[in-house]
């Protein structure tokens, strides 16, 4: 089991498009968050949850 994730973020003025991948290339999540503090908090929570699922 790996405790790593690959994360791609397409940053723009209004929002950020995010893709989370397992190291083997399997897509784990794809979502959009606002480019703001609440959006960053949402991103952080989703990354944490995705990593917890891998453990």
């Amino acid at each position: 089991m790996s405790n790593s994730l690959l994360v791609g973020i397409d940053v723009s003025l209004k929002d950020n498009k995010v893709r989370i991948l397992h190291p083997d290339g399997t897509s784990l999540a794809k979502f959009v968050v606002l480019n703001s503090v609440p959006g960053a908090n949402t991103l952080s929570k989703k990354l944490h949850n995705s990593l917890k699922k891998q453990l």
Side-chain angles (χ1 to χ4, degrees):
M1 243 185 266
S2 174
N3 62 352
S4 298
L5 296 174
L6 303 172
V7 181
I9 305 174
D10 181 6
V11 178
S12 69
L13 185 61
K14 293 184 181 181
D15 60 25
N16 300 316
K17 294 164 184 65
V18 182
R19 172 75 60 118
I20 302 173
L21 300 171
H22 186 275
D24 70 6
T26 304
S27 181
L28 300 174
K30 180 180 176 183
F31 55 91
V32 177
V33 295
L34 293 176
N35 191 354
S36 63
V37 172
N41 290 335
T42 299
L43 173 58
S44 176
K45 288 175 188 172
K46 289 187 177 213
L47 286 171
H48 184 254
N49 289 337
S50 291
L51 186 56
K52 279 189 348 185
K53 289 178 184 177
Q54 297 306 306
L55 298 177

